[in-house]
Amino acid sequence: MSGKHTLIDLSPGEAVAARAIALRYGNKPDALLEILHDLQEELGFIPEAALPALAKALNLSRAEVHGVVSFYHDYRRAPAGRHVIKVCRAEACQSMKGNELAALIERSLNITFGQTTADGAITVEATYCLGNCALAPAIMVDDKLIGRVDQAKFEKIAAECKA
Amino acid sequence: MIRVYVPRDSAARSVGADEVAAEIAKLADVQVIRNGSRGLLWLEPMIEVETAEGRIAYGPVGVEDVASLASSGFLTGGAHKLRLGNIEDHPYLKNQERLTFARCGITDPVSVDDYVAHGGFEGLKKSLALSGAAIVAEVAESGLRGRGGAGFPTGIKWKTVHDARAEQKYICCNADEGDSGTFADRMVMEGDPLMLVEGMTIAGIAVGATKGYAYIRSEYPDAIATMKQAISAAVAANWLGDNIQGTDKSFHLEVRRGAGAYICGEETAMLESLEGKRGMVRPKPPIPALEGLFGKPTVINNVLSFAAVPYILAKGGTAYKNYGMGRSRGTLPFQLAGNIKQGGLVEKAFGITLRQLVEGFGGGTFTGHPIRAIQVGGPLGAYVPVSQLDLPMDYESFAANGAMVGHGGIVVFDDSVDMAAQARFAMEFCAIESCGKCTPCRIGSTRGVEVIDRIVAGVERERNLELLTDLCQTMTDGSLCAMGGLTPMPVLSAVRHFAEDFDKPVQIAAE
């Protein structure tokens, strides 16, 4: 841990976490997505300092790791709110007034998709299909799927998230 | 102890199954079993009580209903306004032909004992005594075609991998079920995951692969967790792992999570993703059967393809082939979704009409308004007008009408739908999810959104409609994979069947 010119040393804790997770997967480069998922679960996002650490551990270039992190919608580069609400914007939910629900959610939280409420409670994201197409419209609150969402249901969920 | 079944399927949980299960568990002398879903999703949470007269169902049950159910004696099948009777006699279920979904909703999904008691591992047991070539021949005999949407004959794919020479081969299950309107893969993985484990293991034995991956989309956390439990249970019971059931056959299975990229449902993008890379589509050839995962011969099949295999091996390819029509053999688990009154899973032999599914099983729209359009086969499938409701569900019949069966997802729209907006969304979705490797898809989709915007805005409508058709032709002919290649299908079907939506008076913005 010497030299202050590498990004690793800016946040050694993050690099250490990244290396520990990579090791758990035997430093295998094909496990990069799994490693990134685990890292995001642990830290809440993929910090910049993790990229060179992972590149070194997996024997990849930093550009390759950056390429993967930026390609997939799941990985976030900054912390999210305490709760993440994913709102399905795909066809089956559209057929059940999903677009109106999405607009209502944006109005109700006073943010647009991709943003976090000012109190840091809720990040709202668009997603394309949660596999609950017979009980549309659907949202996912953290890892919990919710079906047949209407205004009353959403407002109750939002209040619980903010509590 | 009286057994009460409350599904653990995430659709059931999405409308309160966990809360209902917890409430029922408080009752005396009750054992709550978390089963898969029967697929009558509009009745979820649907609970079942084991009685001498069979499993009596009640639904949809809310937490607030449990007290009144208890006082009506539901534990002995007592009368109640939510009582549905013996679930096996329910017409929605009774009129299906469930080969793949025969067990789903009946058993505890991760119990090997339950699975075996209901005919599980019969196919694998037979396969262990057969040569690889004999297994491949049985699958070929069944007429099974890839259930992911492309409909490629599974037997031919397996034979190619079987005949390839390599020190390592792989089995990859495409469980990146990203198409809107589809949830059958999810229901298999959450409701009968051991069937998928068995199907993939049979594939491994057939082609000589010892390692398999199930690539499951991250939007399905329950499916991921249940599959992992099922794999552990199968390993513990020696139906998976080294020397399966004391034979010299070995097969190892691992779950890998996707990361929110629709394109990874495309088989070569999925391979890239499984190798830890960006999900960029690979040009074909080489085909994955010869140069797939890590450059090795690889069987890639959809969840439903693998899930059909245990039945085929247990009962014989001919038994499976006896269902269906034309070159579409066997059954397809259709998924009734969107604006539909009785949404859920309906497994029927090919040949059933769209009308029988949507009006018969589905009972029409949820809103009660007339049906206007039905998107069949996911976001890349055509919008079918009401005039084509009598089309039989068959790969060839749909293709002849500019549509596709795909993965069997059926999304119903009522008369409030704006088809120009749906066409625009198809292009927009392609722009969001394109991997970016080929120009027709990456750029064409963005241009497509712009052209449709101009049409809706009334700017040179005729010329722009012509331009849209031309653009769609370029995307169809020039794209590397089905993402860009099939996005024109919903767009052009909307233009063709719902031309009036592209020719409305221009809306002046109110603001």
Side-chain angles (χ1 to χ4, degrees):
Chain A
M1 284 295 159
S2 63
K4 54 186 168 185
H5 299 297
T6 64
L7 278 168
I8 300 173
D9 300 308
L10 292 175
S11 313
E14 292 168 346
V16 167
R19 275 196 293 271
I21 293 168
L23 190 60
R24 229 161 47 214
Y25 287 90
N27 288 329
K28 287 197 301 189
D30 57 278
L32 181 54
L33 272 73
E34 289 290 319
I35 294 166
L36 291 170
H37 275 305
D38 285 5
L39 186 64
Q40 182 154 301
E41 268 165 35
E42 195 169 313
L43 301 178
F45 69 114
I46 308 293
E48 193 60 36
L51 304 191
L54 286 178
K56 191 145 189 272
L58 306 180
N59 197 22
L60 297 170
S61 72
R62 218 181 120 186
E64 284 170 312
V65 178
H66 173 85
V68 169
V69 173
S70 57
F71 182 87
Y72 294 96
H73 298 307
D74 279 3
Y75 304 126
R76 58 179 99 254
R77 308 302 303 278
R82 291 196 300 280
H83 300 279
V84 176
I85 299 183
K86 291 182 180 170
V87 181
C88 179
R89 308 296 316 273
E91 290 90 342
C93 287
Q94 290 169 13
S95 78
M96 289 293 285
K97 305 269 175 253
N99 287 337
E100 283 84 338
L101 176 70
L104 180 146
I105 289 172
E106 286 185 324
R107 268 201 315 277
S108 155
L109 298 177
N110 201 21
I111 51 174
T112 58
F113 282 96
Q115 295 183 328
T116 303
T117 53
D119 60 358
I122 301 170
T123 297
V124 61
E125 292 175 347
T127 191
Y128 297 91
C129 198
L130 296 165
N132 202 19
C133 318
L135 297 172
I139 65 173
M140 189 173 262
V141 183
D142 299 323
D143 265 356
K144 175 95 167 79
L145 186 61
I146 317 279
R148 291 269 189 260
V149 180
D150 55 18
Q151 183 166 1
K153 232 180 195 178
F154 178 76
E155 280 169 0
K156 187 160 171 271
I157 290 163
E160 283 166 9
C161 286
K162 281 168 179 279
Chain B
M1 289 292 249
I2 296 164
R3 286 197 182 143
V4 180
Y5 293 81
V6 185
R8 57 186 275 171
D9 179 278
S10 56
R13 292 183 65 217
S14 85
V15 284
D18 286 353
E19 292 77 5
V20 171
E23 197 65 22
I24 292 174
K26 290 179 193 162
L27 303 172
D29 290 328
V30 164
Q31 183 194 3
V32 174
I33 295 170
R34 303 301 299 266
N35 55 335
S37 170
R38 297 269 192 171
L40 287 70
L41 294 176
W42 81 100
L43 294 173
E44 295 290 0
M46 187 181 87
I47 65 165
E48 296 170 40
V49 184
E50 203 168 73
T51 71
E53 287 80 47
R55 276 160 67 158
I56 306 299
Y58 298 83
V61 176
V63 182
E64 65 283 359
D65 297 316
V66 175
S68 71
L69 279 166
S71 56
S72 322
F74 85 113
L75 291 176
T76 49
H80 189 275
K81 65 180 192 307
L82 298 176
R83 191 180 191 275
L84 301 164
N86 187 325
I87 189 62
E88 302 284 348
D89 295 332
H90 196 289
Y92 199 86
L93 210 50
K94 210 175 177 179
N95 295 327
Q96 296 193 28
E97 288 151 316
R98 288 198 163 189
L99 308 183
T100 298
F101 277 82
R103 245 178 329 258
C104 193
I106 297 176
T107 53
D108 171 351
V110 294
S111 159
V112 172
D113 290 345
D114 246 16
Y115 185 67
V116 171
H118 288 84
F121 290 126
E122 286 296 326
L124 178 52
K125 220 183 288 177
K126 281 194 181 167
S127 302
L128 287 169
L130 292 174
S131 69
I135 301 171
V136 172
E138 201 64 56
V139 172
E141 170 63 22
S142 74
L144 178 66
R145 292 166 68 178
R147 295 288 185 250
F152 187 82
T154 307
I156 294 176
K157 192 183 274 185
W158 286 25
K159 186 170 189 312
T160 308
V161 179
H162 173 269
D163 293 347
R165 285 166 180 269
E167 74 279 13
Q168 180 69 57
K169 299 176 186 178
Y170 294 102
I171 307 295
C172 292
C173 176
N174 185 342
D176 195 52
E177 187 179 51
D179 287 355
S180 176
T182 63
F183 45 81
D185 294 356
R186 182 184 61 68
M187 284 187 64
V188 166
M189 292 187 283
E190 293 177 2
D192 199 8
L194 288 162
M195 175 172 55
L196 179 54
V197 170
E198 183 181 356
M200 290 183 70
T201 308
I202 293 171
I205 292 168
V207 304
T210 52
K211 175 85 193 171
Y213 292 93
Y215 185 88
I216 310 176
R217 62 200 299 261
S218 61
E219 291 86 344
Y220 285 180
D222 284 17
I224 290 167
T226 314
M227 272 301 290
K228 285 183 174 173
Q229 286 175 28
I231 289 170
S232 301
V235 169
N238 194 221
W239 287 106
L240 193 62
D242 288 323
N243 302 103
I244 296 167
Q245 299 297 304
T247 64
D248 61 348
K249 304 290 196 315
S250 299
F251 186 69
H252 299 268
L253 187 49
E254 201 178 305
V255 169
R256 284 286 174 84
R257 286 172 281 181
Y262 176 77
I263 193 61
C264 290
E266 196 285 330
E267 60 176 5
T268 62
M270 184 191 75
L271 291 177
E272 290 287 304
S273 192
L274 276 170
E275 292 180 8
K277 301 171 188 161
R278 294 160 69 91
M280 304 288 279
V281 173
R282 295 179 186 172
K284 287 189 274 192
I287 54 169
L290 294 174
E291 288 181 41
L293 189 63
F294 305 117
K296 303 296 181 199
T298 304
V299 169
I300 305 171
N301 278 132
N302 175 256
V303 172
L304 296 180
S305 311
F306 283 123
V309 167
Y311 175 92
I312 291 166
L313 265 296
K315 312 277 181 191
T318 312
Y320 191 77
K321 194 168 79 178
N322 285 339
Y323 292 89
M325 71 172 276
R327 293 202 288 125
S328 306
R329 309 313 310 177
T331 60
L332 186 62
F334 297 100
Q335 299 122 84
L336 304 184
N339 194 331
I340 192 151
K341 198 168 150 200
Q342 301 181 153
L345 187 118
V346 177
E347 183 175 350
K348 283 295 280 184
F350 286 95
I352 185 172
T353 65
L354 201 45
R355 186 185 302 281
Q356 286 172 309
L357 284 168
V358 169
E359 292 181 352
F361 284 94
T365 61
F366 179 83
T367 47
H369 290 236
I371 295 171
R372 177 136 188 265
I374 301 172
Q375 190 175 30
V376 184
L380 307 176
Y383 283 100
V384 176
V386 176
S387 62
Q388 291 186 348
L389 270 180
D390 292 310
L391 267 183
M393 302 300 299
D394 155 61
Y395 293 117
E396 278 67 41
S397 304
F398 263 63
N401 283 279
M404 68 171 190
V405 171
H407 188 54
I410 294 171
V411 177
V412 179
F413 291 79
D414 72 7
D415 58 359
S416 66
V417 67
D418 173 354
M419 294 306 296
Q422 296 307 124
R424 184 189 193 277
F425 176 75
M427 285 291 191
E428 189 190 0
F429 182 67
C430 183
I432 295 168
E433 297 296 337
S434 173
C435 83
K437 187 151 182 164
C438 71
T439 319
C441 176
R442 183 184 69 244
I443 308 288
S445 51
T446 299
R447 294 290 96 89
V449 171
E450 294 163 1
V451 174
I452 295 172
D453 280 346
R454 284 201 291 274
I455 294 167
V456 171
V459 180
E460 297 186 280
R461 270 191 177 143
E462 286 306 312
R463 287 187 61 192
N464 276 308
L465 273 168
E466 202 179 311
L467 188 61
L468 181 63
T469 311
D470 190 61
L471 174 67
C472 283
Q473 195 62 51
T474 303
M475 289 175 73
T476 305
D477 295 342
S479 298
L480 208 48
C481 81
M483 176 95 238
L486 289 177
T487 291
M489 192 183 273
V491 174
L492 292 179
S493 66
V495 173
R496 192 181 312 127
H497 301 301
F498 305 92
E500 63 275 22
D501 285 17
F502 294 81
D503 197 26
K504 284 185 195 161
V506 177
Q507 298 281 317
I508 308 294
E511 292 171 63

